Every structure is written in C-alpha cells, then in structure tokens.
Amino acid sequence: AALEGRLGLTPEEAIATIARQPAILTYRVEACLSVVDFLELDLGLGPEARKLVYQYPSILTRRAFDPDGDAGGSGGTSLASRVRQLREELELTDAELDSLIVGYPQILSLALHTNVLPKIRCVAEFFGVPFRDARAFFLKAKSMFGISLEKNLRPKLDFFAALGVARGKIWAEIVRRPRVMSASLEKRIRPRCDRIAAAGLGLDDFSSWRFLEMTDSEFEAYWEQCVVPYMEHDFEKAPEKYQRSDGKIPSTSNAKKLKK
C-alpha cells in the first residue's frame, strides 16, 4: 500500500515490484519511503523515481543516508554517499548523473574504484583518449558499466586490435555504434569477422560496423543483398539506396528492409 500511495504504482505493479525483490517486505516502511524521498527530492528525479524503483526495486533495500547523517565524506555506503562519489570521481553534471542513474540504476551497486573506474581507464589507455572522452562513451552505452573488464571488455578490444584494424578506426566505430561492444564476442562478433575474412574481405571494406548490431536474420539478408554483390563486383545487384560511390560495402541504414 505504501508503494502504491507514495509512487503511484498500480496494485499489479506493486505486487510485481515486491515479487522481484521480496526482501522489501522485511524493511521498515519508513526506510523504504526515505529512499523514495531521496530519489524524488534530494536527487531531483521527480516522476522518474517511480520508473527507477519499478525497474530496480532492490534500491529500496539501501540506506538513503549514512547513520552519521552522511557527514563522513565519500567513504559512506548510503545512496547519498554513492551519488556523491559518482558525481565527483566521474565529474558528472547534474543532468549526466540523473541520466546515468535512471538509465542504469545498477551503477549504484557497483564498486567505483575496483569496477567502474578501471573500465573507463582501460578504454582511455587502449585508445589513447582523454578520461573524459572514455567516460562519455560509457555514459552513452551505460550497460557497459556492468560487463566484466577481464572477461568481456578487454577481450573484445584485443580481438579487434588483432585483426589489424587501426585503434583510431575501432574507437570511431564504437563511439558511433556503442551497441557493438554489447554484442557477444563468441556468438556474434568473432563468427561474423571470421566469415568476412574467409570471404577475402576485411573490416576496412565496410562503410561501418552496422552489421555487428544486426540480428542473425538481418545479417544473412544483408550478406546476400549487399556483401555478395560487392564480392562479385556487381554493385547494381545491391538495393539502389544502399549503393555507394566510394567502393565500400554499405552499412544499410535500415537492415530490416533487407529481410528475406
């Protein structure tokens, strides 16, 4: 009832929220509502707090403030302390902070110095770009904060580098299409790059890496209608809107139109 009244959740939404995080029932109502107050008022999320709690109900099990009133600096574990740490360490504006928390609330549970910052620094060092540029990339692709550095992020970067692609080219492509870095290396990226290599092509033959974002059915249609004509030097077979004058294989702006 407290969730329904304070956040305006429907009975069904309140039940679904509790079902995803049953531990909420063991917490005092006042403690849960203090988290809602913090999100709505102190953080200034307003109506977005409702969406955040519904999507990430475990946030209600966190303390809004540390027992000492959050006067202990950045070492606290409360939501207020974590928000301050994110703001200061990542140099976030209020708008960037709000967007990050609403778009990827799990960031509030990730260890800043052993999880979040190492990933940003890895990208900055790998590509030789400023920390702020690497940070901006993660803010654009927020789910990247949740992947493993050693088992996911670094292997993908090393894989692309091993293909002989210039790091500046890799950086330009992932900034343009950050979802590429969320694709599975073993199930999507490597098999498609292997297929390209087997066809005697390289990533530089493509106008962009849009094909790494496509579903399997989209990719197969794309391969038949855009890549095969390129390999056969019969560009007129490609859909007219996707023909290019620079000799590159088109990326297709709407791969769904290429479905069989």
Side-chain angles (χ1 to χ4, degrees), residues 8 16 30 73 90 135 175 192 194 214 219 234:
E30 293 78 6
L90 301 188
R135 182 215 62 175
V175 167
R192 293 184 185 180
D194 287 348
M214 297 176 185
F219 178 72
D234 190 357

Side-chain angles (χ1 to χ4, degrees), residues 116-146:
V116 176
L117 288 173
K119 293 170 188 172
I120 299 177
R121 289 170 180 150
C122 172
V123 168
E125 293 171 4
F126 185 89
F127 292 110
V129 298
F131 176 87
R132 291 183 65 86
D133 289 353
R135 182 215 62 175
F137 167 71
F138 276 87
L139 292 179
K140 187 177 180 181
K142 300 176 181 62
S143 63
M144 289 288 293
F145 282 117

Side-chain angles (χ1 to χ4, degrees), residues 70-158:
D70 206 44
S74 61
T77 59
S78 67
L79 289 174
S81 289
R82 179 52 59 86
V83 166
R84 182 169 57 247
Q85 292 167 22
L86 288 170
R87 188 194 305 274
E88 295 175 353
E89 295 286 348
L90 301 188
E91 303 175 15
L92 300 175
T93 64
D94 289 344
E96 290 172 335
L97 180 64
D98 291 353
S99 176
L100 173 58
I101 292 175
V102 172
Y104 191 72
Q106 295 90 333
I107 192 73
L108 296 170
S109 298
L110 298 179
L112 184 62
H113 293 97
T114 60
N115 192 324
V116 176
L117 288 173
K119 293 170 188 172
I120 299 177
R121 289 170 180 150
C122 172
V123 168
E125 293 171 4
F126 185 89
F127 292 110
V129 298
F131 176 87
R132 291 183 65 86
D133 289 353
R135 182 215 62 175
F137 167 71
F138 276 87
L139 292 179
K140 187 177 180 181
K142 300 176 181 62
S143 63
M144 289 288 293
F145 282 117
I147 70 174
S148 167
L149 172 59
E150 298 301 332
K151 296 181 179 180
N152 195 322
L153 177 58
R154 200 184 299 278
K156 286 176 183 174
L157 296 176
D158 291 341

Side-chain angles (χ1 to χ4, degrees), residues 39-57:
L39 296 174
E40 286 188 341
L41 306 176
D42 295 83
L43 198 53
L45 296 184
E48 290 291 341
R50 175 186 183 279
K51 174 183 175 182
L52 192 156
V53 170
Y54 182 62
Q55 293 182 340
Y56 189 61

